[in-house]
Coordinates of all heavy atoms in Angstrom, one line a residue:
M71 N -20.3 -7.5 -22.3 CA -20.3 -7.5 -20.9 C -21.0 -6.3 -20.4 O -20.7 -5.2 -20.8 CB -18.9 -7.6 -20.4 CG -18.8 -7.7 -18.9 SD -17.1 -8.0 -18.5 CE -17.1 -7.6 -16.8
Q72 N -22.0 -6.4 -19.5 CA -22.7 -5.3 -19.0 C -22.6 -5.2 -17.5 O -22.6 -6.3 -16.8 CB -24.2 -5.4 -19.4 CG -24.4 -5.1 -20.8 CD -25.9 -5.1 -21.1 OE1 -26.7 -5.6 -20.3 NE2 -26.2 -4.6 -22.3
L73 N -22.5 -4.0 -17.0 CA -22.5 -3.8 -15.5 C -23.8 -3.1 -15.2 O -24.1 -2.1 -15.8 CB -21.3 -2.9 -15.1 CG -21.2 -2.5 -13.7 CD1 -20.9 -3.8 -12.8 CD2 -20.0 -1.5 -13.5
I74 N -24.5 -3.7 -14.3 CA -25.8 -3.1 -13.9 C -25.7 -2.5 -12.5 O -25.4 -3.2 -11.6 CB -26.9 -4.2 -14.0 CG1 -27.1 -4.8 -15.4 CG2 -28.3 -3.6 -13.5 CD1 -28.0 -5.9 -15.5
L75 N -25.9 -1.2 -12.5 CA -25.9 -0.5 -11.2 C -27.4 -0.1 -10.9 O -28.2 0.2 -11.7 CB -25.1 0.8 -11.3 CG -23.6 0.6 -11.8 CD1 -23.0 2.0 -12.1 CD2 -22.9 -0.1 -10.8
K76 N -27.7 -0.2 -9.6 CA -29.0 0.2 -9.1 C -28.9 1.5 -8.5 O -28.2 1.7 -7.5 CB -29.5 -0.9 -8.2 CG -31.0 -0.7 -7.8 CD -31.5 -1.9 -7.0 CE -33.0 -1.7 -6.7 NZ -33.5 -2.7 -5.9
K77 N -29.7 2.5 -9.0 CA -29.7 3.8 -8.4 C -31.2 4.1 -8.1 O -32.0 4.2 -8.9 CB -29.2 4.8 -9.4 CG -29.2 6.2 -8.9 CD -28.7 7.2 -10.0 CE -28.8 8.6 -9.5 NZ -28.4 9.6 -10.5
G78 N -31.4 4.2 -6.8 CA -32.8 4.4 -6.3 C -33.6 3.2 -6.7 O -33.4 2.1 -6.3
G79 N -34.7 3.4 -7.5 CA -35.5 2.3 -7.9 C -35.3 1.9 -9.3 O -35.9 1.0 -9.9
E80 N -34.3 2.6 -10.0 CA -34.1 2.3 -11.4 C -32.7 1.6 -11.6 O -31.8 1.8 -10.8 CB -34.2 3.6 -12.3 CG -33.2 4.6 -11.8 CD -33.4 6.0 -12.5 OE1 -34.5 6.5 -12.3 OE2 -32.5 6.5 -13.1
H81 N -32.6 0.9 -12.7 CA -31.3 0.2 -13.0 C -30.6 1.0 -14.1 O -31.2 1.5 -15.0 CB -31.6 -1.2 -13.5 CG -32.2 -2.1 -12.5 ND1 -31.4 -2.6 -11.5 CD2 -33.4 -2.6 -12.3 CE1 -32.2 -3.4 -10.7 NE2 -33.4 -3.4 -11.2
I82 N -29.3 1.2 -13.9 CA -28.5 1.8 -14.9 C -27.6 0.8 -15.5 O -26.9 0.1 -14.8 CB -27.6 2.9 -14.2 CG1 -28.5 4.0 -13.6 CG2 -26.7 3.5 -15.2 CD1 -27.7 5.0 -12.7
I83 N -27.7 0.6 -16.8 CA -26.9 -0.4 -17.5 C -25.6 0.3 -18.1 O -25.7 1.2 -18.8 CB -27.7 -1.1 -18.6 CG1 -28.9 -1.8 -18.0 CG2 -26.8 -2.1 -19.4 CD1 -29.8 -2.4 -19.0
M84 N -24.5 -0.2 -17.7 CA -23.2 0.3 -18.2 C -22.5 -0.8 -18.9 O -22.1 -1.8 -18.3 CB -22.4 0.8 -17.0 CG -21.1 1.5 -17.4 SD -20.1 2.1 -16.1 CE -21.1 3.4 -15.4
N85 N -22.3 -0.6 -20.2 CA -21.6 -1.7 -21.0 C -20.1 -1.5 -20.8 O -19.6 -0.5 -20.2 CB -22.0 -1.6 -22.4 CG -21.6 -0.3 -23.1 OD1 -20.9 0.5 -22.6 ND2 -22.3 -0.1 -24.2
S86 N -19.3 -2.4 -21.3 CA -17.8 -2.4 -21.0 C -17.2 -1.2 -21.7 O -16.2 -0.6 -21.2 CB -17.2 -3.7 -21.5 OG -17.4 -3.8 -22.9
R87 N -17.7 -0.7 -22.8 CA -17.1 0.5 -23.5 C -17.3 1.7 -22.6 O -16.4 2.6 -22.5 CB -17.8 0.6 -24.8 CG -17.2 1.7 -25.7 CD -17.9 1.7 -27.0 NE -17.5 2.9 -27.8 CZ -16.8 2.8 -28.9 NH1 -16.5 1.6 -29.4 NH2 -16.5 3.9 -29.5
T88 N -18.5 1.9 -22.0 CA -18.7 3.1 -21.1 C -17.9 3.0 -19.9 O -17.3 4.0 -19.4 CB -20.2 3.1 -20.7 OG1 -21.0 3.1 -21.9 CG2 -20.6 4.4 -20.0
A89 N -17.8 1.8 -19.3 CA -16.9 1.6 -18.1 C -15.5 1.9 -18.4 O -14.8 2.6 -17.6 CB -17.1 0.2 -17.6
L90 N -15.0 1.5 -19.6 CA -13.6 1.8 -20.0 C -13.4 3.3 -20.2 O -12.4 3.8 -19.8 CB -13.2 1.0 -21.3 CG -11.8 1.3 -21.8 CD1 -10.8 0.8 -20.8 CD2 -11.7 0.6 -23.2
G91 N -14.4 3.9 -20.8 CA -14.3 5.4 -21.0 C -14.3 6.1 -19.6 O -13.5 7.0 -19.4
A92 N -15.1 5.7 -18.7 CA -15.0 6.3 -17.3 C -13.7 6.1 -16.7 O -13.1 7.0 -16.0 CB -16.2 5.7 -16.5
L93 N -13.2 4.9 -16.8 CA -11.8 4.6 -16.2 C -10.8 5.4 -16.9 O -9.9 5.9 -16.2 CB -11.5 3.1 -16.4 CG -10.2 2.6 -15.8 CD1 -10.2 2.7 -14.3 CD2 -9.9 1.2 -16.2
L94 N -10.8 5.6 -18.2 CA -9.8 6.4 -18.9 C -9.9 7.9 -18.4 O -8.9 8.6 -18.3 CB -10.0 6.3 -20.4 CG -9.6 5.0 -21.0 CD1 -9.9 5.0 -22.5 CD2 -8.1 4.7 -20.7
V95 N -11.1 8.4 -18.2 CA -11.3 9.8 -17.7 C -10.7 9.9 -16.3 O -10.0 10.9 -16.0 CB -12.8 10.2 -17.8 CG1 -13.0 11.5 -17.0 CG2 -13.3 10.3 -19.2
I96 N -10.9 9.0 -15.5 CA -10.4 9.0 -14.1 C -8.9 9.0 -14.1 O -8.2 9.8 -13.4 CB -11.0 7.9 -13.2 CG1 -12.5 8.1 -13.0 CG2 -10.2 7.8 -11.9 CD1 -13.2 7.0 -12.4
I97 N -8.3 8.1 -14.9 CA -6.8 8.0 -15.0 C -6.3 9.3 -15.6 O -5.3 9.8 -15.1 CB -6.4 6.7 -15.7 CG1 -6.8 5.5 -14.9 CG2 -4.9 6.8 -16.0 CD1 -6.6 4.2 -15.7
G98 N -6.9 9.8 -16.6 CA -6.4 11.0 -17.3 C -6.5 12.2 -16.3 O -5.5 13.0 -16.3
G99 N -7.6 12.3 -15.6 CA -7.7 13.4 -14.6 C -6.6 13.3 -13.5 O -6.0 14.3 -13.1
W100 N -6.3 12.1 -13.1 CA -5.3 11.9 -12.1 C -3.9 12.3 -12.6 O -3.1 12.9 -11.9 CB -5.3 10.4 -11.7 CG -4.5 10.1 -10.5 CD1 -3.9 10.9 -9.6 CD2 -4.1 8.8 -10.0 NE1 -3.2 10.3 -8.6 CE2 -3.4 8.9 -8.8 CE3 -4.5 7.5 -10.4 CZ2 -2.9 7.9 -8.1 CZ3 -4.0 6.4 -9.7 CH2 -3.2 6.6 -8.5
V101 N -3.6 11.9 -13.9 CA -2.3 12.3 -14.5 C -2.2 13.8 -14.6 O -1.2 14.4 -14.3 CB -2.2 11.6 -15.8 CG1 -1.0 12.2 -16.6 CG2 -2.0 10.1 -15.7
V102 N -3.3 14.5 -15.0 CA -3.3 16.0 -15.1 C -3.1 16.6 -13.7 O -2.3 17.5 -13.6 CB -4.6 16.5 -15.8 CG1 -4.7 18.0 -15.6 CG2 -4.6 16.1 -17.2
L103 N -3.7 16.1 -12.7 CA -3.5 16.6 -11.4 C -2.1 16.5 -10.9 O -1.5 17.4 -10.3 CB -4.5 16.0 -10.4 CG -5.9 16.4 -10.5 CD1 -6.8 15.6 -9.5 CD2 -6.1 17.9 -10.2
R104 N -1.5 15.3 -11.2 CA -0.1 15.1 -10.8 C 0.8 16.0 -11.6 O 1.8 16.5 -11.1 CB 0.3 13.6 -11.0 CG -0.4 12.7 -10.0 CD 0.3 11.5 -9.9 NE 1.7 11.7 -9.4 CZ 2.4 10.7 -9.0 NH1 2.0 9.5 -9.1 NH2 3.7 11.0 -8.7
F105 N 0.5 16.3 -12.9 CA 1.3 17.2 -13.7 C 1.3 18.6 -13.1 O 2.2 19.3 -13.2 CB 0.8 17.1 -15.2 CG 1.6 18.0 -16.1 CD1 2.8 17.7 -16.5 CD2 1.0 19.2 -16.5 CE1 3.6 18.5 -17.4 CE2 1.7 20.0 -17.4 CZ 3.0 19.7 -17.8
L106 N 0.1 19.0 -12.6 CA -0.1 20.3 -12.0 C 0.5 20.4 -10.6 O 0.5 21.5 -10.0 CB -1.5 20.7 -12.0 CG -2.2 20.9 -13.4 CD1 -3.7 21.1 -13.2 CD2 -1.5 22.0 -14.1
G107 N 1.0 19.3 -10.1 CA 1.6 19.3 -8.8 C 0.6 19.0 -7.6 O 1.0 19.3 -6.5
I108 N -0.6 18.6 -8.0 CA -1.6 18.3 -6.9 C -1.5 16.8 -6.7 O -1.8 16.0 -7.6 CB -3.0 18.7 -7.4 CG1 -3.0 20.2 -7.7 CG2 -4.0 18.3 -6.4 CD1 -4.2 20.7 -8.3
S109 N -1.2 16.4 -5.5 CA -1.1 15.0 -5.1 C -2.3 14.6 -4.4 O -2.8 15.3 -3.5 CB 0.2 14.8 -4.2 OG 0.2 13.5 -3.8
L110 N -2.8 13.4 -4.7 CA -3.9 12.8 -4.0 C -3.6 11.9 -2.9 O -4.4 11.4 -2.3 CB -4.8 12.1 -5.1 CG -5.4 12.9 -6.2 CD1 -6.1 12.0 -7.1 CD2 -6.3 14.0 -5.7
G111 N -2.3 11.8 -2.6 CA -1.8 11.0 -1.5 C -2.4 11.3 -0.2 O -2.9 10.4 0.5
P112 N -2.4 12.6 0.3 CA -3.0 12.9 1.6 C -4.5 12.6 1.6 O -5.0 12.3 2.7 CB -2.7 14.4 1.7 CG -1.5 14.7 0.9 CD -1.6 13.7 -0.3
I113 N -5.1 12.8 0.5 CA -6.6 12.6 0.5 C -6.8 11.1 0.7 O -7.7 10.7 1.5 CB -7.2 13.1 -0.8 CG1 -7.1 14.6 -0.9 CG2 -8.7 12.6 -1.0 CD1 -7.5 15.2 -2.2
F114 N -6.1 10.2 -0.1 CA -6.3 8.8 0.1 C -5.8 8.3 1.5 O -6.3 7.3 2.0 CB -5.5 8.0 -1.0 CG -6.2 8.1 -2.4 CD1 -5.5 8.6 -3.5 CD2 -7.5 7.8 -2.5 CE1 -6.2 8.6 -4.7 CE2 -8.2 7.8 -3.7 CZ -7.5 8.3 -4.8
A115 N -4.8 9.0 2.1 CA -4.4 8.6 3.4 C -5.5 8.7 4.4 O -5.6 8.0 5.4 CB -3.2 9.4 3.8
F116 N -6.4 9.7 4.2 CA -7.5 9.9 5.1 C -8.7 9.1 4.7 O -9.5 8.6 5.5 CB -7.9 11.4 5.3 CG -7.0 12.1 6.2 CD1 -6.0 12.9 5.8 CD2 -7.2 12.0 7.6 CE1 -5.2 13.6 6.6 CE2 -6.4 12.7 8.5 CZ -5.4 13.5 8.0
L117 N -8.8 8.9 3.4 CA -10.0 8.1 2.8 C -9.9 6.6 3.1 O -10.9 6.0 3.4 CB -10.0 8.4 1.3 CG -11.2 7.9 0.6 CD1 -12.4 8.7 1.1 CD2 -11.1 8.2 -0.9
F118 N -8.7 6.0 3.2 CA -8.6 4.6 3.4 C -9.1 4.2 4.8 O -9.9 3.2 4.9 CB -7.2 4.1 3.2 CG -7.0 2.7 3.2 CD1 -7.5 1.8 2.3 CD2 -6.3 2.1 4.3 CE1 -7.4 0.5 2.3 CE2 -6.1 0.7 4.4 CZ -6.7 -0.1 3.4
P119 N -8.8 4.9 5.9 CA -9.3 4.5 7.2 C -10.8 4.7 7.2 O -11.6 3.9 7.8 CB -8.6 5.4 8.2 CG -7.4 5.9 7.5 CD -7.7 5.9 6.0
I120 N -11.3 5.7 6.5 CA -12.8 6.0 6.5 C -13.5 4.8 5.8 O -14.5 4.3 6.2 CB -13.1 7.3 5.9 CG1 -12.6 8.4 6.8 CG2 -14.6 7.5 5.6 CD1 -12.7 9.8 6.2
I121 N -12.9 4.4 4.7 CA -13.4 3.2 3.9 C -13.4 2.0 4.8 O -14.4 1.2 4.8 CB -12.7 3.0 2.6 CG1 -13.0 4.2 1.6 CG2 -13.0 1.7 2.0 CD1 -12.1 4.2 0.4
L122 N -12.3 1.7 5.5 CA -12.3 0.6 6.4 C -13.4 0.6 7.5 O -14.0 -0.4 7.8 CB -10.9 0.4 7.0 CG -9.8 -0.2 6.2 CD1 -8.5 -0.2 7.0 CD2 -10.2 -1.6 5.8
M123 N -13.5 1.8 8.1 CA -14.5 2.0 9.1 C -15.9 1.8 8.5 O -16.8 1.2 9.1 CB -14.4 3.3 9.8 CG -13.2 3.4 10.6 SD -12.8 5.1 11.3 CE -14.3 5.7 11.8
G124 N -16.2 2.3 7.3 CA -17.5 2.1 6.6 C -17.7 0.6 6.3 O -18.8 0.1 6.5
L125 N -16.7 -0.1 5.8 CA -16.9 -1.5 5.6 C -17.1 -2.3 6.9 O -17.9 -3.2 6.9 CB -15.7 -2.1 4.8 CG -15.5 -1.7 3.4 CD1 -14.2 -2.1 2.8 CD2 -16.6 -2.2 2.5
G126 N -16.4 -1.9 7.9 CA -16.7 -2.5 9.2 C -18.1 -2.3 9.7 O -18.7 -3.2 10.2
Y127 N -18.6 -1.1 9.5 CA -20.0 -0.8 9.9 C -21.0 -1.6 9.1 O -21.9 -2.1 9.7 CB -20.2 0.7 9.8 CG -21.6 1.1 10.1 CD1 -22.0 1.2 11.4 CD2 -22.5 1.4 9.1 CE1 -23.3 1.6 11.7 CE2 -23.8 1.8 9.4 CZ -24.2 1.9 10.7 OH -25.5 2.3 11.0
I128 N -20.7 -1.7 7.8 CA -21.6 -2.5 7.0 C -21.6 -4.0 7.4 O -22.6 -4.7 7.5 CB -21.3 -2.3 5.5 CG1 -21.6 -0.9 5.0 CG2 -22.0 -3.4 4.6 CD1 -21.1 -0.6 3.7
G129 N -20.4 -4.5 7.7 CA -20.2 -5.8 8.2 C -21.0 -6.1 9.5 O -21.6 -7.1 9.7
I130 N -20.9 -5.1 10.4 CA -21.6 -5.3 11.7 C -23.1 -5.3 11.5 O -23.9 -6.1 12.0 CB -21.2 -4.1 12.7 CG1 -19.8 -4.3 13.1 CG2 -22.1 -4.1 13.9 CD1 -19.2 -3.1 13.9
K131 N -23.6 -4.4 10.5 CA -25.0 -4.4 10.3 C -25.5 -5.6 9.6 O -26.7 -6.0 9.7 CB -25.3 -3.1 9.4 CG -25.3 -1.8 10.1 CD -26.5 -1.8 11.1 CE -26.6 -0.4 11.6 NZ -27.7 -0.3 12.6
N132 N -24.6 -6.3 8.8 CA -25.0 -7.5 8.1 C -24.7 -8.8 8.8 O -24.5 -9.8 8.2 CB -24.4 -7.5 6.7 CG -24.9 -6.5 5.8 OD1 -26.1 -6.1 5.9 ND2 -24.1 -6.0 4.9
N133 N -24.7 -8.7 10.1 CA -24.5 -9.9 11.0 C -23.1 -10.6 10.8 O -23.0 -11.8 11.1 CB -25.6 -10.9 10.8 CG -26.9 -10.4 11.3 OD1 -26.9 -9.6 12.3 ND2 -28.0 -10.7 10.7
S134 N -22.1 -9.9 10.4 CA -20.8 -10.4 10.3 C -20.0 -9.6 11.3 O -19.1 -8.8 11.0 CB -20.2 -10.3 8.9 OG -18.9 -10.8 8.9
K135 N -20.3 -9.7 12.6 CA -19.9 -8.9 13.7 C -18.4 -9.0 13.9 O -17.7 -8.0 14.2 CB -20.6 -9.1 14.9 CG -22.1 -8.8 14.8 CD -22.8 -8.8 16.1 CE -24.3 -8.7 15.9 NZ -24.8 -7.6 15.1
I136 N -17.8 -10.1 13.8 CA -16.3 -10.3 14.1 C -15.5 -9.6 13.0 O -14.6 -8.7 13.4 CB -16.0 -11.8 14.2 CG1 -16.7 -12.4 15.4 CG2 -14.5 -11.9 14.3 CD1 -16.5 -13.9 15.5
I137 N -15.7 -9.9 11.8 CA -15.0 -9.2 10.7 C -15.3 -7.7 10.7 O -14.3 -6.9 10.5 CB -15.2 -9.9 9.3 CG1 -14.7 -11.3 9.4 CG2 -14.6 -9.1 8.2 CD1 -15.1 -12.1 8.2
G138 N -16.5 -7.4 10.8 CA -16.9 -6.0 10.8 C -16.2 -5.2 12.0 O -15.7 -4.1 11.8
S139 N -16.2 -5.8 13.1 CA -15.5 -5.1 14.3 C -14.0 -5.0 14.1 O -13.4 -4.0 14.4 CB -15.8 -5.9 15.6 OG -17.2 -6.0 15.8
I140 N -13.4 -6.0 13.5 CA -12.0 -6.0 13.2 C -11.7 -4.9 12.2 O -10.8 -4.0 12.4 CB -11.5 -7.3 12.7 CG1 -11.5 -8.3 13.8 CG2 -10.0 -7.2 12.1 CD1 -11.2 -9.8 13.4
L141 N -12.4 -4.8 11.1 CA -12.2 -3.7 10.1 C -12.4 -2.4 10.7 O -11.7 -1.4 10.4 CB -13.1 -4.0 8.9 CG -12.8 -5.1 8.0 CD1 -13.8 -5.2 6.9 CD2 -11.4 -4.9 7.3
F142 N -13.5 -2.2 11.5 CA -13.8 -0.9 12.1 C -12.7 -0.5 13.1 O -12.3 0.6 13.1 CB -15.2 -1.0 12.8 CG -15.6 0.4 13.3 CD1 -16.3 1.2 12.4 CD2 -15.4 0.9 14.5 CE1 -16.7 2.5 12.7 CE2 -15.8 2.1 14.9 CZ -16.5 2.9 14.0
A143 N -12.2 -1.5 13.9 CA -11.1 -1.2 14.8 C -9.8 -0.8 14.1 O -9.2 0.2 14.5 CB -10.9 -2.3 15.7
I144 N -9.5 -1.5 13.0 CA -8.3 -1.1 12.3 C -8.4 0.3 11.7 O -7.5 1.1 11.7 CB -8.0 -2.2 11.2 CG1 -7.6 -3.5 11.9 CG2 -6.9 -1.7 10.2 CD1 -7.4 -4.7 10.9
G145 N -9.6 0.5 11.1 CA -9.8 1.9 10.5 C -9.8 3.0 11.6 O -9.2 4.0 11.3
L146 N -10.3 2.7 12.7 CA -10.3 3.7 13.8 C -8.9 3.9 14.3 O -8.5 5.1 14.5 CB -11.2 3.2 15.0 CG -11.4 4.2 16.1 CD1 -12.2 5.4 15.6 CD2 -12.2 3.5 17.2
I147 N -8.1 2.9 14.5 CA -6.7 3.0 14.9 C -5.9 3.8 13.9 O -5.1 4.7 14.2 CB -6.1 1.7 15.2 CG1 -6.7 1.0 16.4 CG2 -4.6 1.8 15.4 CD1 -6.4 -0.4 16.7
M148 N -6.1 3.5 12.6 CA -5.5 4.3 11.6 C -5.9 5.8 11.6 O -5.0 6.7 11.4 CB -5.7 3.7 10.2 CG -5.1 2.4 10.0 SD -5.6 1.6 8.4 CE -4.8 2.6 7.2
M149 N -7.2 6.0 11.8 CA -7.6 7.4 11.8 C -7.1 8.2 13.0 O -6.7 9.3 12.9 CB -9.2 7.4 11.8 CG -9.8 8.8 11.7 SD -9.3 9.7 10.2 CE -10.3 8.9 9.0
I150 N -7.0 7.5 14.2 CA -6.4 8.2 15.3 C -5.0 8.5 15.1 O -4.5 9.6 15.4 CB -6.6 7.3 16.6 CG1 -8.1 7.2 17.0 CG2 -5.7 7.8 17.7 CD1 -8.4 6.2 18.1
G151 N -4.3 7.6 14.4 CA -2.9 7.9 14.0 C -2.8 9.1 13.1 O -1.8 9.9 13.2
K152 N -3.7 9.2 12.1 CA -3.7 10.3 11.2 C -4.0 11.6 11.9 O -3.5 12.7 11.5 CB -4.7 10.1 10.1 CG -4.4 8.8 9.3 CD -3.2 9.0 8.4 CE -3.1 7.7 7.6 NZ -1.8 7.6 7.0
L153 N -4.9 11.6 12.9 CA -5.3 12.8 13.5 C -4.5 13.1 14.8 O -4.9 14.0 15.5 CB -6.8 12.7 13.9 CG -7.7 12.6 12.7 CD1 -9.2 12.4 13.2 CD2 -7.6 13.8 11.8
S154 N -3.4 12.4 15.1 CA -2.7 12.6 16.3 C -2.1 14.0 16.3 O -2.0 14.6 17.4 CB -1.6 11.5 16.4 OG -0.6 11.7 15.4
G155 N -1.6 14.5 15.2 CA -1.1 15.9 15.1 C -2.1 16.9 15.6 O -1.8 17.9 16.3
L156 N -3.4 16.7 15.1 CA -4.5 17.6 15.5 C -4.7 17.5 17.0 O -5.0 18.5 17.7 CB -5.7 17.3 14.7 CG -7.0 18.1 15.1 CD1 -6.7 19.6 14.7 CD2 -8.2 17.5 14.3
F157 N -4.7 16.3 17.5 CA -4.9 16.1 19.0 C -3.8 16.8 19.8 O -4.1 17.5 20.8 CB -4.9 14.6 19.4 CG -6.1 13.8 18.8 CD1 -6.0 12.5 18.4 CD2 -7.3 14.4 18.6 CE1 -7.0 11.8 17.9 CE2 -8.4 13.7 18.0 CZ -8.2 12.4 17.7
F158 N -2.6 16.7 19.4 CA -1.5 17.3 20.1 C -1.6 18.9 20.0 O -1.3 19.6 20.9 CB -0.1 16.9 19.6 CG 0.2 15.5 20.2 CD1 0.5 14.5 19.3 CD2 0.3 15.3 21.5 CE1 0.8 13.2 19.8 CE2 0.6 14.0 22.0 CZ 0.9 13.0 21.1
F159 N -2.0 19.4 18.8 CA -2.2 20.8 18.6 C -3.3 21.3 19.6 O -3.1 22.4 20.2 CB -2.6 21.1 17.2 CG -2.8 22.5 16.9 CD1 -1.8 23.4 16.8 CD2 -4.1 23.0 16.6 CE1 -2.0 24.7 16.6 CE2 -4.3 24.3 16.3 CZ -3.2 25.2 16.3
L160 N -4.4 20.6 19.7 CA -5.5 21.0 20.6 C -5.1 20.9 22.0 O -5.5 21.8 22.8 CB -6.8 20.2 20.3 CG -7.4 20.4 18.9 CD1 -8.6 19.4 18.8 CD2 -7.9 21.8 18.8
A161 N -4.3 19.9 22.4 CA -3.8 19.8 23.7 C -2.9 20.9 24.1 O -2.9 21.5 25.2 CB -3.1 18.4 23.9
A162 N -2.0 21.3 23.1 CA -1.1 22.5 23.3 C -1.9 23.8 23.6 O -1.6 24.5 24.5 CB -0.1 22.6 22.2
I163 N -2.9 24.0 22.8 CA -3.8 25.2 23.0 C -4.4 25.1 24.3 O -4.5 26.1 25.0 CB -4.8 25.3 21.8 CG1 -4.1 25.7 20.5 CG2 -5.9 26.3 22.2 CD1 -5.0 25.7 19.3
G164 N -4.9 23.9 24.7 CA -5.5 23.8 26.0 C -4.6 24.1 27.2 O -4.9 24.8 28.2
L165 N -3.3 23.6 27.0 CA -2.3 23.9 28.1 C -2.0 25.4 28.1 O -1.8 26.0 29.2 CB -1.0 23.2 27.8 CG -1.1 21.6 28.0 CD1 0.2 21.0 27.5 CD2 -1.4 21.3 29.5
I166 N -1.9 26.1 27.0 CA -1.7 27.5 27.0 C -2.8 28.3 27.6 O -2.6 29.2 28.5 CB -1.5 28.0 25.5 CG1 -0.2 27.5 25.0 CG2 -1.5 29.5 25.4 CD1 0.0 27.7 23.5
V167 N -4.1 27.9 27.3 CA -5.2 28.6 27.9 C -5.3 28.3 29.4 O -5.5 29.2 30.2 CB -6.5 28.1 27.2 CG1 -7.8 28.5 28.0 CG2 -6.6 28.6 25.8
W168 N -4.9 27.1 29.8 CA -4.9 26.8 31.2 C -3.8 27.6 32.0 O -4.1 28.2 33.0 CB -4.7 25.3 31.4 CG -4.7 24.8 32.8 CD1 -5.4 25.3 33.9 CD2 -4.1 23.6 33.3 NE1 -5.2 24.6 35.0 CE2 -4.4 23.5 34.7 CE3 -3.4 22.6 32.7 CZ2 -4.0 22.4 35.5 CZ3 -3.0 21.5 33.5 CH2 -3.3 21.4 34.9
G169 N -2.6 27.7 31.4 CA -1.6 28.5 31.9 C -1.9 30.0 32.1 O -1.7 30.6 33.1
V170 N -2.5 30.5 31.0 CA -2.9 32.0 31.1 C -4.0 32.2 32.1 O -4.0 33.2 32.9 CB -3.4 32.4 29.7 CG1 -4.1 33.8 29.7 CG2 -2.3 32.4 28.7
S171 N -4.9 31.2 32.2 CA -6.0 31.4 33.3 C -5.4 31.3 34.7 O -5.9 31.9 35.6 CB -7.1 30.3 33.1 OG -6.6 29.0 33.4
M172 N -4.3 30.5 34.8 CA -3.6 30.5 36.1 C -2.9 31.8 36.5 O -2.9 32.2 37.6 CB -2.6 29.3 36.2 CG -3.3 27.9 36.2 SD -2.2 26.6 36.2 CE -1.8 26.5 38.0
F173 N -2.4 32.4 35.5 CA -1.8 33.8 35.7 C -2.8 34.8 36.1 O -2.6 35.6 37.0 CB -1.1 34.3 34.4 CG 0.2 33.7 34.1 CD1 0.6 33.3 32.9 CD2 1.2 33.5 35.1 CE1 1.8 32.7 32.6 CE2 2.4 32.9 34.9 CZ 2.7 32.6 33.6
K174 N -4.0 34.7 35.5 CA -5.0 35.7 35.8 C -5.7 35.4 37.1 O -6.1 36.3 37.8 CB -6.1 35.7 34.7 CG -5.6 36.3 33.4 CD -6.8 36.4 32.4 CE -6.3 37.1 31.2 NZ -7.4 37.2 30.2
G175 N -5.7 34.1 37.5 CA -6.4 33.7 38.7 C -5.6 34.0 40.0 O -6.1 34.3 41.1
N176 N -4.2 34.1 39.9 CA -3.4 34.3 41.0 C -2.8 35.7 41.0 O -1.6 35.9 40.9 CB -2.2 33.3 41.0 CG -2.7 31.9 41.2 OD1 -3.7 31.7 41.9 ND2 -2.0 30.9 40.7
K177 N -3.6 36.7 41.1 CA -3.1 38.1 41.1 C -2.6 38.4 42.5 O -3.2 38.2 43.5 CB -4.2 39.1 40.8 CG -4.6 38.9 39.3 CD -5.6 40.0 39.0 CE -6.0 39.9 37.5 NZ -6.9 40.9 37.1
V178 N -1.4 38.9 42.5 CA -0.7 39.3 43.8 C -0.6 40.8 43.7 O 0.0 41.4 42.8 CB 0.7 38.7 43.9 CG1 1.3 39.1 45.2 CG2 0.5 37.2 43.9
Y179 N -1.1 41.5 44.8 CA -1.1 43.0 44.8 C 0.0 43.5 45.7 O 0.3 43.2 46.7 CB -2.4 43.6 45.2 CG -3.5 43.2 44.2 CD1 -4.5 42.3 44.5 CD2 -3.6 43.9 43.0 CE1 -5.5 42.0 43.6 CE2 -4.6 43.6 42.1 CZ -5.5 42.6 42.4 OH -6.5 42.3 41.5

C-alpha cells in the first residue's frame, strides 16, 4: 500500500512502512512529552477551532457554501469562547485606563 503526497510539482511516495514509522515517532514523542509533564491539551484546544475555521474556508472556496459556513461559524464561536478571558482582560485594562484618564481630566484646585 502506497500513499502518494503531492508537494509542489513533485510527488512523494510513502509506503505503509514509512507511514507506520512516522506514526510511531509521533506517538512516542507525545508519550515523552506527557512523561516530562508537558500537556498538548491546551494546544489542541486552540488548534481544533482553527482547523474547523480552515475547513469551513476551504468549503466556502469549493462552492460548498452551506457546510463551509456552518463549519466556519462553529469554529469561530469556539474560538471566541477560548479567547473570552483575553477579551475580559483587555476590557479590564481599558476600564482602568478610562478611570485614570477621568481622574486626570477632572482636576479640582
